[in-house]
Amino acid sequence: MLPVVAVLHVRHVTVRQSGAMLGTIAGTSVVVVGIAASAAPELAVAALFVRAIWWWTIGKLWWETGVLPRWLGAVTLGLAVGEFALVLAFGPLGLDMAVAWLPLRALLGVWLLALSFVLWRSR
């Protein structure tokens, strides 16, 4: 994912430097906390929270600036809201996230495929 974060940083910095920095920092945090959550499953809720922050940051940037298609920004914002809802639902209850962890990682993979297609089709 780090190459994706780097490519997105280059695109974001041309339209909004503050959003580019926030997106890059949040994207790097997703990678670091995601690796930690793979080794320590009790960090899964934290990984979801960080991913929701990243999706919210870049989705909002895409929606407002059009640096990538606005429809992808809207989808990304929707995914962020869904992940925030999961964090709010499962976090305080201390539920085991092992059941939801794999489908959510698959969702991230599908989103990355959609993003790669959009990047491939754009200049």
Side-chain angles (χ1 to χ4, degrees):
M1 274 187 49
L2 287 175
V4 172
V5 173
V7 167
L8 290 176
H9 178 78
V10 171
R11 287 179 179 256
H12 294 161
V13 80
T14 61
V15 293
R16 187 174 295 159
Q17 290 183 354
S18 61
M21 287 306 298
L22 287 172
T24 302
I25 291 168
T28 305
S29 299
V30 167
V31 173
V32 171
V33 177
I35 290 170
S38 294
E42 59 272 7
L43 294 175
V45 175
L48 292 178
F49 182 72
V50 172
R51 187 186 314 161
I53 289 173
W54 182 50
W55 275 348
W56 181 264
T57 303
I58 62 175
K60 184 174 180 280
L61 184 67
W62 299 346
W63 178 261
E64 291 177 349
T65 64
V67 68
L68 285 176
R70 293 186 198 281
W71 66 265
L72 186 58
V75 168
T76 305
L77 282 169
L79 291 171
V81 169
E83 293 227 352
F84 277 130
L86 284 174
V87 168
L88 289 174
F90 291 137
L93 299 176
L95 296 175
D96 184 20
M97 289 297 297
V99 174
W101 187 238
L102 184 60
L104 290 171
R105 287 171 69 184
L107 178 65
L108 175 63
V110 169
W111 180 83
L112 285 170
L113 285 173
L115 177 62
S116 65
F117 179 76
V118 167
L119 290 173
W120 176 59
R121 299 284 297 163
S122 68
R123 291 181 159 184

